[in-house]
């Protein structure tokens, strides 16, 4: 296979005309040619191509809240959270597969080709595990035909999309549903199975949180091991891998953190929500005498493999510790603005030695270009100065740092990378007149012409190559989630009619 780009941004070289990459069957670049003429056998990509974006933090089901939480008057993260719990309570494996397929398709058409899904909706709403006595199923029973018999490692066997109607209810039903959704949407998934043991520091899980939790840390570690085995049986690691996450120091008691540091397999990525809210810091200080970052360091978890999500409210000592560990900090600027969380110290963290990656979190916006721009704009608003993250650094955050956070091969044009690309129109209403290497400061998802995953066409002009218009998928999925949340079966599927 080969892909020919009219123009492409090559790290260290800038924008180059006539770029051809040859790609093997695994979607990995084997040869890069500059100044090349297009061949008839090439997949043509017009506009300016860049390495695709790597989404380092997502909660797929939060997408149903977009545009629905803004009429609360004076509110906060904590008031928004109550609506999030109601959405989580409505999900079944089939419904989550339907919704996640639509959300992942939206990511793909905007330029994200891999995603770290911070997943904690593990069990039934009452907390009983899927596949427990009386509900049948086996670890392999949820396998989708979409992942079997396909010659295309990034798509479904028939291109039709979902196995959402298969009613799978066996072990790991929710996790396997997300994996099938990712395969159908042609996005690379790092499924971060989340440890969620407490409703707050010193608090039991609330009724809304029961489906998130496990009996104890050993039960979570055992379930994580079983999930890794189940995923490895069913999916290529180029499609789906399993990592780990700790919800937060609010959700994982301090006395079990050293157990996780000792027992968690060292080869898998580890993520955590860190210092997203001042209330989290205050509660941690009161209970342990340490900030959340210092608690992680004491527990042996503050290492290079850690990705700290948000890290909005840090002390100077916290910044120094994260930098010294060369940890990744995942900023989600549009979510942090939407939830009034604050502006994280991105430049200070980078200068201290931390890597900065980007994520969409609750999907108030699914647009890597706006996340890049918001990262720079946050520093400008904080400091009154421009130029904290030049375009090359923004692409590093959006692409390479996010892939490293997932433990994945990098996207791009050079040999050994995944041929995962996003190409934008340099002559749109938004981008016309822009220097090609500064499109990160002017383009949006509306300007994405073409998305390539593993050397194969994944989307053109906002339309998914196999699933069609993501807006149609989202309309159907959100209608069905609403119906499940309210018990209104008459409303279910109304928008499909």
């Amino acid at each position: 296979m080969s892909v020919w780009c009219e123009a492409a941004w090559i790290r260290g070289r800038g924008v180059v005309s006539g770029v051809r990459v040859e790609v093997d069957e695994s979607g990995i670049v084997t040869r890069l040619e500059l100044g090349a003429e297009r061949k008839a056998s090439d997949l043509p990509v017009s506009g300016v191509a860049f390495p695709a974006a790597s989404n380092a933090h997502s909660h797929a089901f939060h997408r149903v809240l977009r545009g629905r939480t803004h009429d609360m008057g004076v509110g906060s993260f904590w008031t928004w959270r109550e609506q999030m719990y109601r959405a989580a309570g409505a999900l079944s494996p089939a419904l989550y597969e339907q919704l996640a397929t639509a959300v992942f398709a939206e990511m793909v058409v905007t330029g994200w080709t891999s995603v770290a899904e911070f997943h904690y909706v593990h069990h039934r709403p009452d907390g009983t595990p899927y596949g427990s006595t009386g509900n049948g199923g086996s670890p392999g029973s949820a396998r989708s035909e979409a992942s079997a018999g396909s010659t295309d490692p990034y798509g479904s066997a028939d291109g039709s999309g979902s196995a959402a109607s298969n009613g799978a209810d066996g072990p790991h039903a929710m996790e396997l549903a997300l994996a099938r959704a990712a395969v159908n949407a042609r996005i690379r998934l790092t499924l971060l199975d989340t440890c969620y043991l407490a409703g707050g520091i010193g608090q039991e899980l609330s009724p809304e949180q029961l489906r998130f939790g496990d009996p104890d840390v050993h039960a979570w570690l055992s379930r994580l091991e079983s999930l890794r085995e189940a995923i490895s049986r069913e999916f290529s690691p180029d499609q789906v891998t399993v990592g780990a996450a700790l919800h937060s120091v609010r959700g994982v008691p301090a006395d079990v953190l050293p157990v996780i540091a000792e027992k968690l397999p060292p080869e898998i990525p580890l993520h955590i929500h860190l210092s997203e809210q001042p209330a989290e810091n205050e509660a941690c200080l009161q209970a342990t005498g340490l900030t959340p970052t210092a608690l992680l360091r004491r527990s042996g978890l503050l290492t290079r493999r850690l990705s700290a999500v948000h890290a909005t409210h840090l002390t100077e000592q916290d910044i120094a510790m994260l930098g010294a560990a060369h940890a990744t900090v995942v900023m989600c600027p549009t979510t942090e603005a939407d939830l009034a969380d604050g502006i994280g110290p991105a430049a200070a963290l980078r200068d201290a030695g931390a890597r900065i990656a980007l994520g969409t979190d609750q999907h108030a916006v699914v647009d890597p270009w706006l996340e890049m721009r918001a990262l720079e704009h946050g520093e400008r608003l904080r400091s009154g100065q421009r130029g904290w993250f030049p375009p090359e650094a923004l692409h590093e955050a959006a692409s390479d740092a996010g892939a490293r956070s997932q433990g994945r091969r990098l996207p791009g044009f050079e040999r050994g990378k995944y041929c995962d690309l996003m190409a934008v129109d340099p002559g749109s209403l938004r981008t016309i007149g822009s220097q090609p290497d500064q499109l990160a400061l002017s383009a949006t998802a509306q300007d994405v012409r073409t998305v390539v995953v593993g050397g194969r066409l994944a989307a053109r002009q906002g339309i998914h190559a196999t699933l069609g218009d993501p807006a149609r998928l989202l309309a159907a999925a959100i209608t069905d989630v609403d119906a499940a949340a309210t018990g209104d079966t008459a409303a279910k599927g109304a928008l499909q009619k």
Side-chain angles (χ1 to χ4, degrees):
M1 296 183 293
S2 56
V3 179
W4 180 85
C5 301
E6 179 183 17
W9 179 82
I10 308 296
R11 190 176 305 281
R13 294 175 179 263
V15 175
V16 179
S17 297
V19 173
R20 174 184 290 108
V21 290
E22 296 180 5
V23 185
D24 68 15
E25 288 300 314
S26 297
I28 298 169
V29 175
T30 58
R31 184 169 181 266
L32 168 65
E33 183 181 357
L34 306 181
E37 296 292 328
R38 176 184 167 185
K39 296 180 180 179
S41 58
D42 293 338
L43 172 64
V45 174
S46 60
V48 182
F50 295 84
S54 308
N55 190 340
H57 189 66
S58 163
H59 302 291
F61 77 91
H62 289 191
R63 175 61 180 82
V64 301
L65 300 178
R66 184 191 295 177
R68 295 178 165 201
T69 63
H70 306 288
D71 59 351
M72 297 181 295
V74 177
S76 68
F77 165 84
W78 306 101
T79 52
W80 169 88
R81 190 175 68 156
E82 298 307 313
Q83 297 195 46
M84 180 269 288
Y85 284 157
R86 285 195 288 274
L91 297 174
S92 66
L95 186 53
Y96 205 5
E97 183 175 346
Q98 179 189 5
L99 176 61
T101 298
V103 175
F104 292 157
E106 182 182 10
M107 290 183 195
V108 168
V109 303
T110 62
W112 305 101
T113 63
S114 67
V115 59
E117 180 65 23
F118 200 106
H119 168 67
Y120 50 80
V121 189
H122 303 302
H123 309 302
R124 298 188 184 93
D126 65 358
T128 58
Y130 288 99
S132 57
T133 302
N135 289 279
S138 64
S141 67
R143 183 175 184 178
S144 166
E145 294 179 0
S147 64
S150 173
T151 58
D152 178 352
Y154 306 100
S156 63
D158 60 6
S160 62
S162 175
S165 61
N166 68 8
D169 196 37
H172 310 303
M174 294 296 263
E175 291 76 22
L176 290 167
L178 285 168
R180 292 191 299 271
V183 171
N184 286 330
R186 300 188 174 209
I187 197 167
R188 305 181 194 277
L189 173 66
T190 302
L191 182 59
L192 299 172
D193 193 88
T194 301
C195 183
Y196 201 143
L197 303 177
I201 295 177
Q203 301 176 22
E204 298 291 327
L205 293 171
S206 68
E208 298 88 355
Q209 297 168 324
L210 289 176
R211 71 183 313 183
F212 308 160
D214 290 291
D216 55 38
V217 66
H218 301 289
W220 172 67
L221 288 165
S222 177
R223 188 173 57 73
L224 175 65
E225 180 182 5
S226 174
L227 174 62
R228 294 181 72 202
E229 293 172 356
I231 292 293
S232 67
R233 285 195 300 267
E234 302 296 336
F235 302 95
S236 162
D238 290 323
Q239 297 175 323
V240 184
T241 58
V242 176
L246 313 180
H247 180 269
S248 59
V249 299
R250 293 182 288 109
V252 182
D255 60 352
V256 307
L257 294 175
V259 177
I260 294 170
E262 177 185 357
K263 300 292 186 182
L264 192 68
E267 70 273 14
I268 66 175
L270 176 65
H271 291 222
I272 185 171
H273 293 130
L274 186 73
S275 293
E276 183 176 5
Q277 292 289 319
E280 173 188 325
N281 292 347
E282 294 163 7
C284 189
L285 281 165
Q286 184 174 0
T288 69
L290 299 171
T291 64
T293 301
L295 178 61
L296 293 180
R297 186 176 69 167
R298 186 184 74 179
S299 304
L301 290 168
L302 186 55
T303 66
R304 182 183 292 268
R305 77 156 168 182
L306 184 73
S307 291
V309 182
H310 302 304
T312 308
H313 302 282
L314 301 176
T315 66
E316 291 184 4
Q317 292 76 18
D318 293 337
I319 293 170
M321 285 186 280
L322 286 161
H326 301 294
T328 297
V329 175
V330 183
M331 299 290 190
C332 306
T334 62
T335 286
E336 288 144 11
D338 182 72
L339 297 180
D341 284 346
I343 300 171
L349 283 160
R350 176 203 59 196
D351 293 346
R355 292 190 295 262
I356 305 299
L358 294 171
T360 59
D361 195 359
Q362 57 124 348
H363 315 307
V365 172
V366 175
D367 186 332
W369 304 88
L370 290 185
E371 298 295 348
M372 284 191 277
R373 191 136 68 250
L375 180 65
E376 166 66 14
H377 286 176
E379 290 301 317
R380 293 182 184 187
L381 289 169
R382 178 205 305 280
S383 67
Q385 296 179 334
R386 306 172 83 211
W388 292 91
F389 287 88
E392 183 165 349
L394 294 177
H395 285 290
E396 163 71 23
S399 298
D400 291 6
R404 290 190 178 97
S405 176
Q406 298 177 48
R408 285 207 173 272
R409 188 185 297 267
L410 304 185
F413 304 91
E414 294 83 5
R415 185 176 179 179
K417 293 185 176 182
Y418 281 133
C419 184
D420 289 7
L421 314 173
M422 55 179 179
V424 298
D425 180 359
S428 77
L429 184 63
R430 290 158 296 280
T431 62
I432 191 71
S434 300
Q435 295 291 334
D437 59 355
Q438 294 186 35
L439 285 166
L441 278 302
S442 61
T444 73
Q446 290 177 280
D447 303 309
V448 175
R449 282 183 172 178
T450 306
V451 180
V452 174
V453 180
R456 296 171 171 87
L457 179 67
R460 281 202 194 277
Q461 304 288 11
I463 301 300
H464 195 278
T466 56
L467 299 178
D469 186 356
R472 175 182 57 82
L473 302 177
L474 284 163
I478 292 170
T479 295
D480 288 353
V481 172
D482 288 346
T486 62
D488 182 4
T489 56
K492 186 173 182 178
L495 291 184
Q496 296 100 295
K497 296 181 180 177

